[in-house]
Amino acid sequence: MTNSSDSNSQPSSNKSFEIENQQPIRILGIETSCDETAAAVVENGRVILSNLVASQADLHAQYGGVFPEVASRQHILTIYPIIEQSLQEAHLTISELDAIAVTRGPGLPGSLAVGINTAKGLSLGSRLPLIGINHLEAHIYSIWLYQEGQNEFDEPQYPLLTLIVSGGHTELVLMTGHLKYKRLGGTLDDAAGEAFDKISRLLGLSYPGGPSIEKAAQVGNPQAFNFPRAWLDNTWNFSFSGLKTAVLREVRRLETGGTPLPIANLAASFQAAVVDVLVEKTLLAAKEFQAKEILIAGGVSANKLLRQTIEQKAEGLIHIPPINLCTDNAAMVAGAGFFRYINGQRDPLDIDVLPNWPISEL
Ligand code: KG4
Ligand code: ZN
């Protein structure tokens, strides 16, 4: 993570979020929105005591993408063992925790239902409060986390320009304080990660597509193909469908010509087009809204070209989580859960999943 080492910078913690009693608050996080079954324990929204992720990627690879019913059933098999292990690794029993935070949406309805029902059962049995968490907010709070034993670093300062780039979302959000969001724009069609996954499948690479494209692109020329960039000027929206069609057309043209596909060049040129748009629009928005710092989170923020490019071009401080916290995990759910907990959120046991829960509704 890029972060401040400037000892003069003021921690921007909001006074109302200071913990009144000095007892640490420990929250169990549960995440099952897509194809990762995850459980974690986090202290005071920042210190990771345990963080376990069981990825189903191998299971879905044969379908070239997430098969929702297979995902739900695999969550059912994995969820309790992974929660038990997360408690064991944190050296805590459930009665020593303060709350249970669980992803309520957005995500696949059947997958979300497994996590939320598990959390309800644990809450009922243990009397711990239940806190439903928005997955996009959780990605944002991945920036606050650090491993037990590591040095604490300053929290980001507001206004904070946030780019959430994942398999389901590409969202530009201005964060003005803890739990306070203004959605500026988002993708009109495919999410950035979805575009990576679809182009990966087109090129015959394995699922998930982001890491496969990134690997193939390492030996490719990003200027080999001049793929389109949809700037959508005067808006904070994105579109990746034109880029996807352009790559598809190029692949068909090359195939018709009978030449072997230059996979590395196609992957590198595609990746460069996505990164260009993400970086330029994020920097423009940061300037326009006078953001003090920039935060990038979500699965696509694991991409090295994206990380390097924005770090080179941005003038201020950039926060990007370490790779293992970019993709779906439960530590970020527990982290967001802490800030919701101290803000007084307690959810009843009859809450439903919210598969299309926009951050603008928070
Ligand atoms: O945040 P995430 O784990 O799940 C969702 O909330 O969707 O993001 C998964 C997405 C996938 O589309 C995956 O291909 C993409 O993140 N991704 C990457 C990289 N690692 C994962 N995209 C580009 N480069 C990567 N290194
Ligand atoms: Zn995610």
Side-chain angles (χ1 to χ4, degrees), residues 31 33-34 36 135-136 139 164-169 298-299 326-329 332:
E31 156 64 39
S33 67
C34 191
E36 260 95 28
H135 184 79
L136 302 176
H139 271 303
I164 307 163
V165 262
S166 69
H169 295 272
C326 290
T327 46
D328 287 350
N329 63 85
M332 66 186 194

Side-chain angles (χ1 to χ4, degrees), residues 22-244:
Q22 291 302 306
Q23 289 294 329
I25 291 173
R26 293 167 179 142
I27 296 189
L28 171 69
I30 298 175
E31 156 64 39
T32 62
S33 67
C34 191
D35 63 340
E36 260 95 28
T37 319
V41 180
V42 170
E43 192 171 281
N44 294 340
R46 303 209 60 186
V47 189
I48 300 174
L49 303 184
S50 68
N51 185 23
L52 286 126
V53 181
S55 172
Q56 304 175 3
D58 291 348
L59 203 61
H60 297 289
Q62 58 183 306
Y63 309 108
V66 179
F67 195 127
E69 197 176 306
V70 172
S72 317
R73 295 179 67 179
Q74 190 59 33
H75 285 311
I76 291 173
L77 297 177
T78 320
I79 189 79
Y80 278 110
I82 206 126
I83 289 172
E84 261 180 18
Q85 209 181 328
S86 74
L87 291 171
Q88 263 170 26
E89 287 195 12
H91 304 291
L92 293 168
T93 60
I94 197 144
S95 59
E96 292 171 293
L97 299 175
D98 295 274
I100 298 166
V102 60
T103 304
R104 196 179 170 192
L108 300 170
S111 288
L112 290 165
V114 177
I116 212 151
N117 281 336
T118 305
K120 284 180 186 184
L122 289 175
S123 168
L124 187 66
S126 63
R127 304 268 160 217
L128 291 177
L130 175 72
I131 303 174
I133 295 294
N134 179 290
H135 184 79
L136 302 176
E137 177 171 76
H139 271 303
I140 289 178
Y141 275 98
S142 63
I143 290 298
W144 271 252
L145 299 168
Y146 59 92
Q147 290 291 337
E148 194 178 15
Q150 277 180 357
N151 289 336
E152 182 171 359
F153 49 84
D154 287 352
E155 294 191 27
Q157 301 200 47
Y158 308 106
L160 180 63
L161 196 278
T162 302
L163 173 72
I164 307 163
V165 262
S166 69
H169 295 272
T170 305
E171 303 266 308
L172 269 178
V173 176
L174 192 69
M175 197 174 174
T176 51
H178 273 299
L179 313 178
K180 293 194 187 108
Y181 312 100
K182 179 170 187 268
R183 182 181 183 272
L184 305 176
T187 183
L188 301 177
D189 37 61
D190 290 348
E194 192 180 355
F196 269 96
D197 293 335
K198 286 180 178 168
I199 296 303
S200 161
R201 194 161 31 175
L202 176 72
L203 299 181
L205 303 173
S206 62
Y207 173 84
S212 303
I213 296 260
E214 177 164 38
K215 189 158 178 243
Q218 276 170 3
V219 289
N221 172 8
Q223 273 133 27
F225 299 94
N226 187 17
F227 289 135
R229 277 91 166 135
W231 294 111
L232 307 185
D233 289 337
N234 306 317
T235 79
W236 302 113
N237 291 328
F238 298 88
S239 166
F240 295 104
S241 68
L243 168 62
K244 192 182 63 186

